[in-house]
Amino acid sequence: MAILAVAANVVMERGVQVVRSTRLDRSQYSPLPDTFRPVTIPAQLPGSANPIGGDQAGHTASEPAIGRFVSAVDRFQSSTEVRATSDSAESTAEVDASVKELDAAAKDFRRLLPRPPLVAEVDAALIAYRQAGADYLAAAVLRRFAAMDYLARLDDLDGRVTASINTGWKIFGRVVARESLLTLHARLDELRHRIGAAGGPENSSSGFPKVTEGELSLRQAYDASERSLAKSEGAAWILQTREDIERMAALREEVRAATARMLDQQRLLASSRARLVALTSSARAAAGGASGSPRTGPNAIVTPPASILRSSPVVAAATTTTTTMDTVPDRGRRSTVAGITAGVLALLAVISIWTVRSILIPVRRMLDATRGLAQGDIATRVPRGGMKELDSLAAAFNRMASQLEAARDITHDYRRHLESQVEQRTRQLQHLAERDSLTLLANRRRFFVLLDQSMQRSRDIECGVAVFFIDLDNFKNLNDGMGHIFGDRALISVAQRLEETAAGFGFAARLGGDEFTVVHEEVFSPQDAEAAGLKLVDAFRRPLVVEGREITVSVSIGASLYPDHEHRAEGLLSAADAALFRAKALGRNQLAMFTPELRETATRKFTTEQGVRHALEHDEFELVYQPEVSMATLEVGLVEALVRWRMPDGRLAPPDEFLAVTEESGLIVELGDWVLRNALRAASDWHRGRWPGVKVAINVSARQLIDHRFVQRIQELLREFALPATCIELELTESVLQTGNSTIESLRLLRSLGIAIALDDFGTGYSSLASLEQLPLSRIKLDRSLIAGIDSNPRSRAIAFALIRLCDELDIEVTAEGVERESQFARLAGSRAMYLQGYLISRPVAEGQVLGVNDLMPQAMHDLMLSAPGSPARGPRLVAQPSDQEPEERAEFTESAATR
Ligand code: C2E
Ligand code: CA
Ligand code: CA
């Protein structure tokens, strides 16, 4: 569309002049230097060398000569007038001819003159007349030259302005951003028009004001727009234009001055003529025959200057042609443009309607379809058609709708699938919730539900229900030895065996770990239950096959009966558990029936555990210290820390009343830590006090050692109490050998830190010699049972001394425990490398008594040495008063602990 508009404009404007313009015909101003010659006037009049009087005698017929002379004067004047306004060859020739005629006429005329004075007078007047004519012509030429200059300047100016306009860009007749140029052009045109109307810049005194006015308005227009023109046309353009305008004003003044001069000369010419004509009258009178008057009087010859200027034939020839060219496009071109424009408009209208229709209709269809889709009508589709882009959009929409439809179907299918899966999983979860995940037997929850149901049924048919609590013997060893995966497989086999066996009389369940239960439904006598129990025990006499390997697992079974022993399911199970405790105590492959006494033991166990917890929280434990004396120095080499429980009644309970339960419940770790801390604290007090070489032996349970943080804990405590590692010794039993390699590693580490390691109760276990080999020991403590017979039993003595020698060889120190009698002492006293510990030397004493015991020890030992050999035992010489309770008091403790 824009291209069409531009094209129309170009068509309109091509070759079109923007402004009207006035043309002046300046041909008559063209300088004609070859044809222009100033009129030459002879220095002397023809015949003047010969006085006029010399010729006058023969002159009789004066009248024709006078008449000729007057007409020659007139011809000179008129030819001069013509020559003044027209610079043509003819006018010049006419002047020349008139001069010749005048000269000839003057010659004849002089002859008529009677007196010499008159001749001279005529000669002078004639010369003045000819001079006036020449001056007049010179003034006229100068005036014309000035006018020509003026017009040339005007043309220059006009040419520059027009050129600037033409170089500007035009739209529908307007020059963009050249308004001032157009104004300037219009003023120039007007000025030219005025000059044309006046007949030339040099003409008419009445024309001057009009030309001046035109010039003034040009100047004003220029002044008003000089600034903007300077911007668009440049400084040089401005300089030149201004100079032109000023020069034109100056030239106009010159023209005016020249005109004035020319009029003066014209007047002078007229008066000179009048003088000549007057002289002809005098001549006629002098000749006597003068009658009549000349054809023309002096007044008739003088023409008024204004009329000469207005109607001068020369000026009239130089007519200014004023051509105003209103340059407008021709009709043909106009109609072409109009046609194009109409066509464009029509095309525009058609395109608009078509565009609106082809956009609106598809868009509306699209909107409807989108609305339908949004409302769930997934089968909706957009009709195709319309503009290409909208059609593609519709196609894309339809594709999307199809995909949505397909996606919806998929979603529906998926949801159905998901629902069925959820249902299935729920069933599985329910199953899992009731089943043990490893063995798939009923779990603890399901067990109670089933047991409850069995009890219910048994009430109806008036019979009993037996519950068997089954525990695998030494399953822990199997698990540790063969690995957990194998252990799990073994548990699955056990479950299968139990299920098979129970299938005839009830069901099996797994409670967790290696604990299983079997319920015997419909028991009619205790014997029935026992028979079922034995069946279960027997079932495990056959080996299980796990991963292709045959393994033998023995079980311990505790049984309880409903309604004989308990009425609730939980009660029944705990009764069976109590019976199991008993079965375990009896050894492997045992079945034990519940009895009320078992319940008491279980209760006691429970109460003790609670008591220990309470005691730990309320700091009810204490340490006593029992010396071990070196036979080399007879001094206390070290003291063993032994734990006691201060009961509310003040009695000190010994470890055998609570330690087993503490071990079983795992509380031993906590208690052990308490012992470590307090023993180290006491050791550091002694170390910094009167016993710098202190050494305290601390009993450590295997459970403590298993904890990988144990070594770190010992280091922390040593640091905390600023105690050298050599001030402590850890006592452990052979059971550490069963806890695996990592504990042995820990022991090596402890040993490398300088901590002494003693093996307690040596000689009671099964693998004492293996311990000597594997453990990083610095001491062994020969068990009391071995020392007991050293004075009476040669075999015991032989074993004891063999071990002492062995340790000597291995560079391991030896302490003999439980030295009660002087006879025992006597047997051991000879061995200087020995340490002795026992009631004979000292009972365990309170912390505050230790230093006192140490002080008295060498003397007591000395006395013992003296009294022991040869003489029979005189009873123990106690260094310290016993701080422990007697054995009978311990029984009381049990009572009191149970009643707490
Ligand atoms: P043990 O380590 O073998 O400690 C020696 C036990 O023998 C102590 O009994 C001690 O009082 C007793 N005893 C010492 N000399 C004689 C004697 O000449 N004749 C007799 N019949 N007994 C004597 P206690 O203090 O009752 O300790 C019993 C066991 O408790 C200890 O045996 C030890 O295994 C354990 N135990 C004691 N204190 C702790 C402790 O702090 N931590 C750990 N883990 N166990 C401890
Ligand atoms: Ca010990
Ligand atoms: Ca011991």
Side-chain angles (χ1 to χ4, degrees):
M1 224 59 87
I3 289 165
L4 278 173
V6 169
N9 185 55
V10 167
V11 168
M12 282 281 286
E13 294 303 314
R14 196 159 48 89
V16 169
Q17 290 290 57
V18 179
V19 287
R20 305 180 324 125
S21 82
T22 302
R23 289 263 166 88
L24 285 172
D25 181 3
R26 283 173 57 210
S27 57
Q28 63 273 39
Y29 290 101
S30 56
L32 299 166
D34 49 329
T35 57
F36 173 75
R37 307 184 295 282
V39 180
T40 49
I41 298 157
Q44 272 204 315
L45 286 169
S48 65
N50 212 358
I52 291 171
D55 207 16
Q56 66 197 46
H59 202 280
T60 48
S62 63
E63 263 319 297
I66 289 172
R68 260 202 325 273
F69 180 69
V70 169
S71 75
V73 167
D74 283 351
R75 185 180 172 190
F76 177 75
Q77 190 183 5
S78 65
S79 70
T80 303
E81 291 286 3
V82 170
R83 175 69 180 83
T85 51
S86 164
D87 195 13
S88 63
E90 302 84 68
S91 61
T92 309
E94 171 62 15
V95 169
D96 284 353
S98 71
V99 166
K100 275 187 188 122
E101 192 192 323
L102 185 62
D103 281 352
K107 209 174 178 178
D108 294 344
F109 177 59
R110 285 169 86 236
R111 275 192 208 113
L112 296 176
L113 296 177
R115 340 175 229 119
L118 196 59
V119 173
E121 230 176 301
V122 168
D123 279 353
L126 195 60
I127 286 167
Y129 182 52
R130 297 244 318 253
Q131 187 59 51
D135 287 352
Y136 174 54
L137 282 181
V141 167
L142 285 175
R143 173 174 166 262
R144 207 156 39 190
F145 276 13
M148 271 162 60
D149 258 11
Y150 181 89
L151 288 177
R153 286 288 173 169
L154 182 63
D155 282 353
D156 280 0
L157 188 56
D158 191 44
R160 197 170 314 110
V161 170
T162 310
S164 288
I165 288 168
N166 287 339
T167 52
W169 204 75
K170 288 169 275 178
I171 288 177
F172 295 113
R174 310 297 292 170
V175 177
V176 176
R178 296 284 193 285
E179 197 59 46
S180 6
L181 279 174
L182 287 176
T183 314
L184 220 52
H185 196 278
R187 295 282 184 279
L188 279 168
D189 188 54
E190 191 189 316
L191 178 59
R192 221 194 311 256
H193 190 74
R194 281 169 194 267
I195 291 168
E202 74 279 29
N203 284 347
S204 143
S205 51
S206 62
F208 272 126
K210 288 212 168 157
V211 172
T212 315
E213 236 173 62
E215 238 176 60
L216 199 67
S217 78
L218 170 72
R219 206 198 166 97
Q220 276 167 355
Y222 170 78
D223 286 346
S225 49
E226 189 185 55
R227 194 187 288 257
S228 67
L229 285 169
K231 250 186 240 161
S232 65
E233 306 305 317
W237 193 95
I238 289 292
L239 206 68
Q240 190 58 52
T241 306
R242 192 203 302 253
E243 195 198 308
D244 283 344
I245 291 173
E246 271 157 17
R247 183 74 192 128
M248 270 166 67
L251 285 170
R252 200 215 330 109
E253 275 314 307
E254 259 177 48
V255 170
R256 194 212 298 274
T259 305
R261 253 195 324 277
M262 196 179 88
L263 289 175
D264 284 348
Q265 291 302 328
Q266 197 180 30
R267 263 191 300 276
L268 200 64
L269 180 69
S271 66
S272 297
R273 179 185 166 276
R275 171 110 180 98
L276 266 181
V277 171
L279 279 175
T280 53
S281 306
S282 308
R284 197 177 282 125
S291 59
S293 52
R295 264 186 300 146
T296 51
N299 290 336
I301 296 165
V302 177
T303 42
S307 71
I308 289 173
L309 285 174
R310 202 169 31 245
S311 57
S312 149
V314 182
V315 173
T319 5
T320 305
T321 36
T322 305
T323 16
T324 304
M325 291 199 357
D326 246 338
T327 46
V328 290
D330 60 45
R331 253 175 212 291
R333 234 189 287 159
R334 264 189 194 287
S335 51
T336 308
V337 170
I340 291 172
T341 310
V344 165
L345 285 176
L347 197 65
L348 207 65
V350 170
I351 289 171
S352 304
I353 292 166
W354 178 80
T355 308
V356 166
R357 275 180 59 82
S358 59
I359 291 174
L360 269 190
I361 293 169
V363 165
R364 206 171 289 147
R365 283 189 203 141
M366 195 80 107
L367 267 179
D368 290 346
T370 311
R371 247 181 242 128
L373 201 65
Q375 283 161 8
D377 179 10
I378 212 145
T380 192
R381 295 289 182 275
V382 190
R384 300 282 298 273
M387 279 173 69
K388 193 176 152 220
E389 287 79 4
L390 287 171
D391 184 52
S392 321
L393 194 62
F397 180 92
N398 290 345
R399 258 200 313 281
M400 183 190 75
S402 304
Q403 280 166 2
L404 267 179
E405 206 172 6
R408 192 186 59 172
D409 293 347
I410 290 171
T411 312
H412 279 178
D413 289 352
Y414 188 66
R415 202 173 63 189
R416 272 195 294 279
H417 173 71
L418 221 58
E419 276 166 3
S420 78
Q421 261 195 339
V422 167
E423 229 169 87
Q424 199 183 328
R425 288 283 150 81
T426 311
R427 275 200 302 275
Q428 280 174 355
L429 277 178
Q430 219 162 358
H431 184 78
L432 279 179
E434 293 175 341
R435 297 277 151 184
D436 168 56
S437 58
L438 180 68
T439 62
L440 298 180
L441 291 181
N443 63 12
R444 181 182 279 268
R445 234 164 55 137
R446 182 82 182 141
F447 161 75
F448 280 116
V449 173
L450 291 175
L451 180 56
D452 269 334
Q453 289 171 356
S454 300
M455 285 156 68
Q456 192 104 41
R457 274 200 300 278
S458 76
R459 277 198 293 278
D460 296 343
I461 52 173
E462 293 186 355
C463 64
V465 174
V467 172
F468 300 100
F469 201 127
I470 299 146
D471 188 83
L472 307 184
D473 297 327
N474 289 330
F475 178 72
K476 194 176 172 335
N477 287 353
L478 182 134
N479 217 19
D480 290 346
M482 307 292 288
H484 288 269
I485 296 172
F486 190 85
D488 282 355
R489 302 264 158 79
L491 287 174
I492 293 168
S493 295
V494 168
Q496 280 166 356
R497 183 69 51 94
L498 284 174
E499 210 171 20
E500 284 162 19
T501 316
F505 54 80
F507 61 89
R510 184 184 175 210
L511 298 179
D514 59 345
E515 292 177 349
F516 293 88
T517 53
V518 166
V519 171
H520 182 2
E521 300 172 301
E522 298 180 22
V523 174
F524 290 95
S525 69
Q527 288 73 28
D528 276 2
E530 204 169 333
L534 288 174
K535 227 181 195 176
L536 289 169
V537 172
D538 283 344
F540 287 92
R541 291 194 196 279
R542 281 181 292 127
L544 297 172
V545 180
V546 180
E547 289 185 342
R549 293 171 64 167
E550 286 197 349
I551 55 161
T552 311
V553 173
S554 65
V555 293
S556 299
I557 301 177
S560 61
L561 269 177
Y562 172 82
D564 305 25
H565 300 139
E566 271 291 345
H567 290 271
R568 289 174 305 110
E570 289 85 3
L572 266 178
L573 185 66
S574 78
D577 190 15
L580 173 67
F581 199 70
R582 173 94 186 109
K584 285 233 171 229
L586 290 173
R588 294 155 175 243
N589 283 326
Q590 293 295 325
L591 169 72
M593 264 298 175
F594 175 77
T595 59
E597 300 81 60
L598 289 176
R599 169 85 72 206
E600 269 169 40
T601 314
T603 311
R604 204 162 43 238
K605 212 174 91 184
F606 177 75
T607 320
T608 308
E609 193 184 316
Q610 295 302 105
V612 171
R613 269 182 221 283
H614 182 269
L616 276 169
E617 279 165 23
H618 295 86
D619 211 15
E620 290 172 2
F621 289 106
E622 289 178 13
L623 289 178
V624 290
Y625 298 88
Q626 187 176 27
E628 292 174 37
V629 179
S630 161
M631 290 314 290
T633 61
L634 299 184
E635 287 183 344
V636 175
L638 62 153
V639 290
E640 180 183 3
L642 296 162
V643 70
R644 300 290 180 267
W645 182 359
R646 176 73 67 182
M647 306 302 290
D649 58 3
R651 189 178 70 89
L652 275 181
D656 59 3
E657 288 182 25
F658 58 86
L659 220 54
V661 174
T662 311
E663 283 267 4
E664 228 172 276
S665 64
L667 283 168
I668 189 68
V669 177
E670 214 175 315
L671 177 61
D673 196 64
W674 182 91
V675 170
L676 261 179
R677 187 178 179 80
N678 281 274
L680 261 73
R681 202 254 320 128
S684 98
D685 286 353
W686 289 322
H687 174 66
R688 252 175 288 283
R690 281 175 43 213
W691 193 14
V694 64
K695 189 168 224 170
V696 176
I698 301 150
N699 292 285
V700 175
S701 151
R703 291 284 283 269
Q704 278 175 277
L705 263 173
I706 291 169
D707 189 345
H708 63 279
R709 286 166 303 186
F710 181 72
V711 178
Q712 201 184 329
R713 179 66 180 150
I714 297 266
Q715 285 177 296
E716 271 170 24
L717 288 169
L718 284 174
R719 258 200 305 277
E720 185 182 337
F721 294 112
L723 196 64
T726 48
C727 291
I728 59 167
E729 181 169 292
L730 301 179
E731 285 189 17
L732 27 109
T733 57
E734 282 168 341
S735 59
V736 295
L737 279 177
Q738 290 158 13
T739 56
N741 287 334
S742 64
T743 33
I744 296 174
E745 270 314 307
S746 299
L747 289 177
R748 291 217 173 94
L749 194 56
L750 289 166
R751 201 64 201 93
S752 71
L753 293 173
I755 296 167
I757 308 284
L759 184 65
D760 211 351
D761 305 338
F762 191 75
T764 54
Y766 308 100
S767 52
S768 297
L769 291 177
S771 343
L772 282 183
E773 197 191 352
Q774 291 174 23
L775 301 175
L777 299 172
S778 51
R779 173 190 305 279
I780 65 156
K781 294 181 84 172
L782 296 177
D783 190 62
R784 200 168 63 223
S785 59
L786 211 62
I787 300 302
I790 202 169
D791 53 348
S792 53
N793 187 341
R795 277 181 77 85
S796 298
R797 195 159 55 232
I799 293 170
F801 281 104
L803 286 173
I804 291 167
R805 268 195 307 275
L806 179 66
C807 290
D808 197 30
E809 291 273 304
L810 293 172
D811 212 13
I812 295 173
E813 290 180 321
V814 180
T815 296
E817 282 185 331
V819 181
E820 293 177 337
R821 296 182 296 278
E822 285 191 351
S823 53
Q824 290 170 311
F825 179 81
R827 291 286 175 188
L828 295 164
S831 176
R832 288 176 57 84
M834 292 284 297
Y835 283 73
L836 301 188
Q837 184 185 30
Y839 290 169
L840 178 72
I841 291 129
S842 172
R843 285 195 170 241
V845 297
E847 185 185 329
Q849 294 177 298
V850 168
L851 293 177
V853 168
N854 284 0
D855 290 344
L856 294 174
M857 191 54 75
Q859 184 58 51
M861 290 302 289
H862 195 75
D863 292 352
L864 258 179
M865 295 282 271
L866 288 178
S867 61
S871 64
R874 287 175 292 172
R877 289 177 153 227
L878 296 179
V879 174
Q881 294 305 310
S883 64
D884 269 353
Q885 285 80 12
E886 293 304 314
E888 47 276 21
E889 283 176 351
R890 294 184 181 185
E892 278 172 31
F893 161 75
T894 313
E895 288 262 335
S896 62
T899 50
R900 270 169 61 142

